Amino acid sequence: MSRLRSLAGLFFVVTALSGCDQVNTMLNKQQANGKAIGAACRHSGRALEDCFSRNPKVAKSDIFAGWKEMNEYMLAKKMDVVPSSSEDCGPDPDDKKKAAPEQHNTSAASEPAKDGE
């Protein structure tokens, strides 16, 4: 009977430890993703604050660690910033101004008075 309890206890410990590995793997992936985001922001010349605001769900410490590592690497290798081809990945705000027709106020109060009226 004691042998069965020992096996059950061993099974429980092994199962619990394998769960810890899965949790650690998940946390390491999140940290690696944050570091990758920070490195990409630095490589593209984006400010650290912009990187934080664009990725609010990612830990700031992970973003900063990646940004700092890439900054040190770029300084050591004398690399230039590589700007992204689509900065905001959205429509150009100037396009809205060009596309929207100008609206003229046609009310009688805004028109100049004509002679004879």
Side-chain angles (χ1 to χ4, degrees):
M1 190 69 166
S2 68
R3 190 174 221 182
L4 184 60
R5 287 184 187 169
S6 297
L7 286 175
L10 181 64
F11 178 75
F12 177 75
V13 170
V14 169
T15 305
L17 290 177
S18 68
C20 290
D21 288 342
Q22 291 176 357
V23 170
N24 285 333
T25 301
M26 184 181 70
L27 292 175
N28 288 336
K29 282 183 182 179
Q30 289 176 345
Q31 184 180 20
N33 287 340
K35 289 177 82 172
I37 289 169
C41 284
R42 174 59 185 106
H43 192 249
S44 67
R46 190 161 283 140
L48 191 56
E49 293 79 15
D50 290 341
C51 210
F52 291 156
S53 65
R54 288 174 176 254
N55 302 286
K57 293 182 180 180
V58 181
K60 290 182 180 182
S61 60
D62 295 338
I63 292 173
F64 176 72
W67 195 94
K68 184 179 176 185
E69 284 179 17
M70 180 57 79
N71 185 53
E72 291 170 357
Y73 179 80
M74 289 176 71
L75 290 174
K77 301 291 184 177
K78 298 179 183 174
M79 293 175 61
D80 291 329
V81 170
V82 179
S84 63
S85 60
S86 59
E87 190 64 31
D88 290 332
C89 299
D92 187 13
D94 293 333
D95 287 343
K96 290 180 183 177
K97 292 177 186 173
K98 293 175 190 173
E102 292 183 23
Q103 294 181 355
H104 298 287
N105 192 354
T106 58
S107 67
S110 66
E111 291 181 13
K114 295 182 182 177
D115 292 337
E117 288 185 15

